[in-house]
Amino acid sequence: MFLAMPKVVDREQYRKELLNGCVELFAQKGYGSSTMRQIAEGLGVSTGTLYHYFKSKEDIFMQLVQELCEQDISRFFAQASEVEGLEARLQAVMDFVLKNLQYYQQQMLLWVDFFQQTRIGSDEELQFLRQIWNGTRDATVDYLQLPDTKLADFLMIFIDGLIIQCIYNRSAEDADWYHSQSQLMIQMVLNHEQFSS
Amino acid sequence: MFLAMPKVVDREQYRKELLNGCVELFAQKGYGSSTMRQIAEGLGVSTGTLYHYFKSKEDIFMQLVQELCEQDISRFFAQASEVEGLEARLQAVMDFVLKNLQYYQQQMLLWVDFFQQTRIGSDEELQFLRQIWNGTRDATVDYLQLPDTKLADFLMIFIDGLIIQCIYNRSAEDADWYHSQSQLMIQMVLNHEQFSS
Amino acid sequence: MFLAMPKVVDREQYRKELLNGCVELFAQKGYGSSTMRQIAEGLGVSTGTLYHYFKSKEDIFMQLVQELCEQDISRFFAQASEVEGLEARLQAVMDFVLKNLQYYQQQMLLWVDFFQQTRIGSDEELQFLRQIWNGTRDATVDYLQLPDTKLADFLMIFIDGLIIQCIYNRSAEDADWYHSQSQLMIQMVLNHEQFSS
Amino acid sequence: MFLAMPKVVDREQYRKELLNGCVELFAQKGYGSSTMRQIAEGLGVSTGTLYHYFKSKEDIFMQLVQELCEQDISRFFAQASEVEGLEARLQAVMDFVLKNLQYYQQQMLLWVDFFQQTRIGSDEELQFLRQIWNGTRDATVDYLQLPDTKLADFLMIFIDGLIIQCIYNRSAEDADWYHSQSQLMIQMVLNHEQFSS
DNA sequence: TATGAATGAGTATTCATTCAT
DNA sequence: CATGAATGAATACTCATTCAT
């Protein structure tokens, strides 16, 4: 009865290893342009094995996104949880974003690519994505100790907008521009808080 | 003497008609998923005819984007140029964006899709996109009578971020949420201007 | 009744001008790779006009070949008819071939290309080609004042073989090799004549 | 330990079977006019399978040529190696050529067709072809025990020229003509050797 | 559990030819 | 006579997925 247990654990672990092995390829070539054969080759396995662990290319991607998001949030809190005060914490958030800007740019392109390719609209996938967004938003509310979600939403919209700029600016060469815009954002939020009180 | 003239006019005009006929299909299916066959069928012509007027699928897209951008800006100014005062003009800008939110969501998806499909990096296309962004930004600076581009950039980043939300929210059903966020944005800018002076 | 005559002459002349205008394109790109549009553009006319003077692409080619062959033979005799003696005349033939080797290489490739593209086997086209071969052979017999066709055939087979080498040697850069082989050929024929008598 | 071996053997063997299955189609329709779909159908496999074993149409052709050449040379030596004396050996060579004339005619058309379609000039392919030519030439020098390559080149040029005649004569119906020409060739070479010594 | 051979519908693009103007 | 817009079947090649071994 318990003989199968270790196998399951192994399977789960192996699955995660495979997922982590996909990150780079997806980041470089996007979702639609990464073929199952390339993924398999990159992982050093056969396509058959891939289909043994994931039911489709779509499935690989969804599981990958989930995995990465969990890693992201915990990575942020690992280094920023002891900072105190609204301004310092806003600064910490923006610093983290800017430092990982290229990474998030790739992620954003990946997502949009995925949504264009798989025209689903199925509630399932939509729910899934919303969950991720709301999770991140709630974590932000908590971290900044804001009274409601409105300001966190505002901040995250701005961050998304900032990430999108990669399409026009290609890579983070315009570091100054990104920096001054994020400072402006912080100032805006602080002003707003001052007015409110 | 003028016998050859009408043909030229017709060709140019017909080309524009074909472009307008593509909008809907591209909006619905994205760039990568719209096949030349589908485009041709949607227009009621043969694929050969399509290639008679455009040299490639990419060409169709680039010309379409240019066409739409010109229409967008002139459409905005047609209805909003006589409004006076910073607040009212911000309001006008945000109203325009929200009213056409679905349209801009589709446009943004289309662009990202296009860039994922055609891994270009060629300066030509990049220049092209930047031009559009800068053009819109400058028009915004002019319209809002702002002293510099910084605030206009900030506004446009926010707008891009807002548009991106379509991925999570699908369609503009959450009209209230969009509206309250844009009001917050307006408030932020006004506060900032007050502080500055 | 005679009013139409000049028109016919004009038509015939114009047709030949068009043919001559095709030579370079066909030589550069071969038969199959020369499109009707390119031919038309090269001639500065529309495709419609092309079809007004020739009933098909095939027709253009056949008429072109005929035209060129007539020119070739008369061009040779224009410069070599006064030479006397078998050896000198053989030399004249081989010199002419080597001097125009590139041209004949292109012609040969053109022919083979044409035959591969248009899998006809229709007697008509075959007859046509044989006529050309026989015509050239007979002219050679006459020119060299040979007693029968056998030796002329032998010479022409060798020349065809020499022309074919372009596939391996690309362009006539190996001029020495071509020259020594043709000298060997001349020697062979002279030896043979000596033995016979 | 040897469990994985059979698969490799099978793959290589199957690849050769596929190649042999292409010969007839290529011979009948040429290179450019044989579509991948037709090739696949002729082999009783899908186009996907074709691309599983060969990376392109060009690749199929190159591998096919190599395969056939190896077969040709070994087939000749299998039946002609014990013949003695220059005349007898020349006779053996010409007999072999004439007996397989149709086959070589098809091969030559195939090659020229291939070179017209794939406007390469790339050194790689050119090298490849030259190798084949030189290899055959050297084998001829060895077999005839000639002092240098000059006479072998001469012989092979003649053979190429003979093969080219298929364009005019279609099939080997004119067997007598071919035979008398090859006898003439043999006589020529023998005369030449006599003179030289 | 793992393999990789097999599939075949689907992709953008080309091009000889026709025909209304 | 001349134009060039329109056609649409045909091309090489791709790729997510299946399944026998």
Side-chain angles (χ1 to χ4, degrees):
Chain A
M1 212 204 284
F2 293 104
L3 282 175
M5 289 285 290
K7 288 233 171 187
V8 172
V9 171
D10 279 348
R11 182 183 169 85
E12 203 56 17
Q13 167 125 14
Y14 191 46
R15 203 182 51 77
K16 289 209 171 187
E17 282 173 28
L18 291 177
L19 280 179
N20 280 318
C22 298
V23 177
E24 204 171 3
L25 183 67
F26 273 131
Q28 276 171 10
K29 321 232 324 171
Y31 174 79
S33 299
S34 299
T35 72
M36 287 300 268
R37 189 126 48 171
Q38 287 172 332
I39 295 170
E41 277 172 8
L43 293 171
V45 300
S46 66
T47 58
T49 300
L50 229 44
Y51 278 91
H52 189 72
Y53 287 95
F54 307 96
K55 72 178 204 285
S56 66
K57 189 182 172 186
E58 204 178 311
D59 187 37
I60 294 180
F61 182 78
M62 300 284 278
Q63 295 202 31
L64 178 60
V65 166
Q66 198 156 31
E67 181 73 9
L68 289 181
C69 276
E70 289 169 9
Q71 290 179 13
D72 283 352
I73 292 180
S74 63
R75 208 169 39 161
F76 173 71
F77 280 105
Q79 63 165 79
S81 51
E82 71 281 2
V83 176
E84 292 294 341
L86 178 59
E87 182 169 1
R89 293 202 156 202
L90 277 170
Q91 199 68 253
V93 170
M94 293 312 299
D95 283 355
F96 184 78
V97 168
L98 288 186
K99 213 167 61 189
N100 300 290
L101 196 57
Q102 286 211 14
Y103 168 79
Y104 286 117
Q105 287 171 350
Q106 285 172 342
Q107 284 253 81
M108 164 104 24
L109 286 174
L110 214 45
W111 284 3
V112 177
D113 192 8
F114 175 72
F115 270 83
Q116 290 292 83
Q117 301 278 330
T118 62
R119 294 262 162 185
I120 334 174
S122 96
D123 295 327
E124 206 181 341
E125 269 99 4
L126 227 46
Q127 282 303 76
F128 175 74
L129 251 207
R130 278 242 221 185
Q131 262 174 36
I132 291 176
W133 162 267
N134 287 334
T136 314
R137 197 256 317 267
D138 293 345
T140 312
V141 169
D142 274 5
Y143 178 72
L144 297 178
Q145 292 158 358
L146 297 171
D148 57 19
T149 62
K150 197 174 175 185
L151 218 51
D153 279 357
F154 185 77
L155 180 61
M156 288 183 64
I157 291 172
F158 177 79
I159 290 172
D160 277 350
L162 213 55
I163 292 169
I164 271 294
Q165 301 308 315
C166 65
I167 302 180
Y168 315 108
N169 295 322
R170 214 57 149 182
S171 85
E173 288 161 0
D174 309 86
D176 286 343
W177 184 85
Y178 282 107
H179 184 257
S180 80
Q181 286 294 327
S182 64
Q183 291 309 312
L184 183 55
M185 179 64 198
I186 293 172
Q187 201 56 53
M188 291 273 186
V189 174
L190 292 178
N191 288 350
H192 183 265
E193 285 300 273
Q194 216 164 14
F195 266 100
S196 302
S197 58
Chain B
M1 213 203 284
F2 294 104
L3 282 175
M5 293 286 289
K7 287 243 169 184
V8 173
V9 171
D10 278 347
R11 184 180 169 86
E12 202 56 16
Q13 169 138 9
Y14 191 47
R15 201 181 53 79
K16 291 207 171 186
E17 281 173 28
L18 290 177
L19 280 179
N20 281 317
C22 297
V23 177
E24 203 173 2
L25 184 67
F26 273 132
Q28 276 170 12
K29 321 234 321 174
Y31 175 79
S33 300
S34 299
T35 73
M36 287 301 268
R37 194 126 51 181
Q38 287 171 333
I39 295 171
E41 276 169 11
L43 293 170
V45 300
S46 66
T47 57
T49 299
L50 226 46
Y51 280 92
H52 188 71
Y53 288 94
F54 307 96
K55 72 177 203 290
S56 66
K57 190 182 171 186
E58 204 176 309
D59 188 38
I60 294 181
F61 182 78
M62 299 284 278
Q63 293 201 32
L64 178 60
V65 167
Q66 201 153 31
E67 181 74 8
L68 289 181
C69 277
E70 289 168 9
Q71 288 179 14
D72 283 353
I73 292 181
S74 64
R75 210 171 39 168
F76 173 71
F77 279 103
Q79 64 165 74
S81 52
E82 72 280 3
V83 175
E84 293 294 343
L86 179 59
E87 182 168 1
R89 292 201 155 200
L90 278 170
Q91 199 66 253
V93 170
M94 294 311 301
D95 283 356
F96 185 78
V97 168
L98 289 186
K99 212 167 62 187
N100 298 292
L101 196 56
Q102 285 212 15
Y103 167 79
Y104 285 117
Q105 288 172 348
Q106 287 169 340
Q107 284 251 82
M108 165 128 345
L109 285 174
L110 214 45
W111 283 4
V112 177
D113 191 10
F114 175 72
F115 272 82
Q116 290 290 85
Q117 300 282 327
T118 62
R119 294 266 167 183
I120 335 178
S122 102
D123 296 325
E124 208 181 342
E125 268 97 4
L126 225 49
Q127 282 301 74
F128 176 75
L129 250 208
R130 276 242 220 186
Q131 261 175 36
I132 290 176
W133 162 267
N134 286 334
T136 315
R137 196 256 315 271
D138 293 345
T140 311
V141 169
D142 274 6
Y143 179 72
L144 297 177
Q145 293 159 355
L146 297 172
D148 57 19
T149 62
K150 198 175 172 183
L151 219 52
D153 280 357
F154 184 78
L155 179 61
M156 287 183 66
I157 291 172
F158 176 79
I159 290 173
D160 277 350
L162 213 53
I163 292 170
I164 270 295
Q165 302 309 315
C166 64
I167 300 181
Y168 315 107
N169 294 319
R170 215 54 150 183
S171 86
E173 287 159 0
D174 309 84
D176 284 345
W177 184 85
Y178 283 108
H179 184 257
S180 81
Q181 285 294 327
S182 64
Q183 290 310 311
L184 183 54
M185 180 65 197
I186 293 172
Q187 202 55 54
M188 291 273 185
V189 175
L190 293 177
N191 289 349
H192 184 265
E193 284 301 273
Q194 217 165 13
F195 267 100
S196 304
S197 61
Chain C
M1 213 206 282
F2 294 105
L3 283 175
M5 290 286 289
K7 288 232 171 187
V8 170
V9 171
D10 279 348
R11 181 184 168 85
E12 203 55 18
Q13 166 124 14
Y14 191 47
R15 202 181 53 76
K16 288 209 171 186
E17 282 174 26
L18 290 178
L19 280 179
N20 280 318
C22 297
V23 176
E24 204 172 2
L25 184 68
F26 273 130
Q28 277 172 11
K29 321 232 323 173
Y31 175 78
S33 300
S34 299
T35 72
M36 287 300 269
R37 188 125 51 170
Q38 286 173 332
I39 296 170
E41 277 170 10
L43 294 171
V45 300
S46 66
T47 58
T49 299
L50 229 45
Y51 278 91
H52 189 72
Y53 287 96
F54 308 96
K55 72 177 204 286
S56 67
K57 189 183 171 185
E58 204 178 311
D59 187 38
I60 294 180
F61 182 77
M62 299 285 278
Q63 295 202 29
L64 177 61
V65 167
Q66 198 155 31
E67 181 74 8
L68 289 180
C69 278
E70 290 168 9
Q71 290 179 13
D72 283 353
I73 293 180
S74 63
R75 209 169 39 160
F76 172 71
F77 281 104
Q79 64 164 77
S81 51
E82 71 280 3
V83 176
E84 291 296 340
L86 178 59
E87 181 169 1
R89 293 201 156 202
L90 278 169
Q91 198 69 252
V93 170
M94 292 313 299
D95 283 355
F96 185 77
V97 168
L98 289 185
K99 213 167 62 188
N100 299 290
L101 196 58
Q102 285 212 14
Y103 168 79
Y104 285 116
Q105 287 173 349
Q106 285 172 342
Q107 284 252 82
M108 164 104 26
L109 286 174
L110 213 45
W111 284 3
V112 177
D113 191 9
F114 175 73
F115 271 82
Q116 290 291 83
Q117 300 278 329
T118 62
R119 294 264 161 184
I120 334 176
S122 96
D123 296 326
E124 206 182 342
E125 268 98 5
L126 227 47
Q127 280 304 75
F128 175 75
L129 251 207
R130 277 243 222 184
Q131 261 175 35
I132 291 175
W133 162 265
N134 286 334
T136 315
R137 195 256 316 269
D138 293 345
T140 311
V141 168
D142 275 5
Y143 178 73
L144 296 177
Q145 292 158 355
L146 297 170
D148 57 19
T149 61
K150 197 175 174 185
L151 218 51
D153 281 355
F154 184 78
L155 179 61
M156 288 183 65
I157 291 172
F158 176 78
I159 290 173
D160 277 349
L162 213 55
I163 291 170
I164 269 295
Q165 301 308 315
C166 65
I167 301 180
Y168 315 106
N169 295 320
R170 214 55 151 180
S171 84
E173 288 161 0
D174 308 85
D176 285 344
W177 184 85
Y178 281 108
H179 184 257
S180 81
Q181 285 295 326
S182 64
Q183 290 309 312
L184 183 55
M185 180 65 199
I186 292 172
Q187 202 55 54
M188 291 273 185
V189 175
L190 292 177
N191 289 349
H192 183 265
E193 285 300 274
Q194 218 164 13
F195 267 100
S196 302
S197 60
Chain D
M1 212 201 286
F2 294 104
L3 282 175
M5 292 285 290
K7 288 244 169 185
V8 173
V9 171
D10 278 347
R11 184 183 170 85
E12 203 55 16
Q13 168 138 9
Y14 191 47
R15 200 181 55 78
K16 289 207 174 187
E17 281 173 28
L18 291 177
L19 280 179
N20 280 319
C22 297
V23 176
E24 202 172 3
L25 184 66
F26 273 131
Q28 277 170 11
K29 323 233 322 174
Y31 175 79
S33 300
S34 298
T35 73
M36 287 301 269
R37 195 128 46 181
Q38 287 172 334
I39 296 170
E41 277 169 11
L43 292 170
V45 300
S46 66
T47 58
T49 299
L50 226 46
Y51 280 93
H52 188 71
Y53 288 94
F54 308 97
K55 71 179 205 287
S56 65
K57 190 182 171 186
E58 204 176 310
D59 187 38
I60 294 180
F61 182 78
M62 300 284 276
Q63 293 202 32
L64 179 59
V65 167
Q66 200 154 32
E67 181 74 8
L68 290 181
C69 277
E70 289 168 10
Q71 289 179 13
D72 283 353
I73 292 180
S74 64
R75 210 170 37 168
F76 173 72
F77 281 103
Q79 64 165 76
S81 52
E82 71 280 2
V83 176
E84 293 294 341
L86 179 59
E87 181 169 2
R89 292 202 156 200
L90 279 169
Q91 200 67 254
V93 170
M94 293 312 300
D95 282 356
F96 185 77
V97 168
L98 290 186
K99 212 168 62 190
N100 299 290
L101 197 56
Q102 284 212 17
Y103 168 79
Y104 285 116
Q105 288 170 349
Q106 286 170 341
Q107 284 250 82
M108 166 130 341
L109 285 173
L110 215 43
W111 284 4
V112 178
D113 191 9
F114 175 72
F115 272 82
Q116 289 290 86
Q117 300 282 328
T118 62
R119 295 265 167 184
I120 336 176
S122 103
D123 295 325
E124 208 181 340
E125 267 99 3
L126 225 49
Q127 282 303 75
F128 175 74
L129 250 208
R130 277 240 220 187
Q131 261 175 37
I132 291 176
W133 162 267
N134 286 334
T136 314
R137 196 255 317 268
D138 293 346
T140 310
V141 169
D142 273 7
Y143 178 73
L144 297 178
Q145 292 159 357
L146 296 172
D148 56 20
T149 60
K150 199 174 173 184
L151 218 51
D153 280 354
F154 184 78
L155 179 61
M156 287 184 65
I157 291 172
F158 176 80
I159 291 174
D160 277 349
L162 213 54
I163 292 170
I164 270 296
Q165 303 309 315
C166 65
I167 301 181
Y168 317 108
N169 294 320
R170 214 57 147 184
S171 87
E173 287 160 0
D174 309 84
D176 285 345
W177 184 85
Y178 283 108
H179 185 257
S180 80
Q181 285 295 326
S182 63
Q183 291 310 312
L184 183 54
M185 179 66 199
I186 293 172
Q187 202 54 54
M188 291 271 185
V189 175
L190 293 177
N191 288 350
H192 183 264
E193 284 301 273
Q194 217 164 10
F195 266 100
S196 302
S197 59

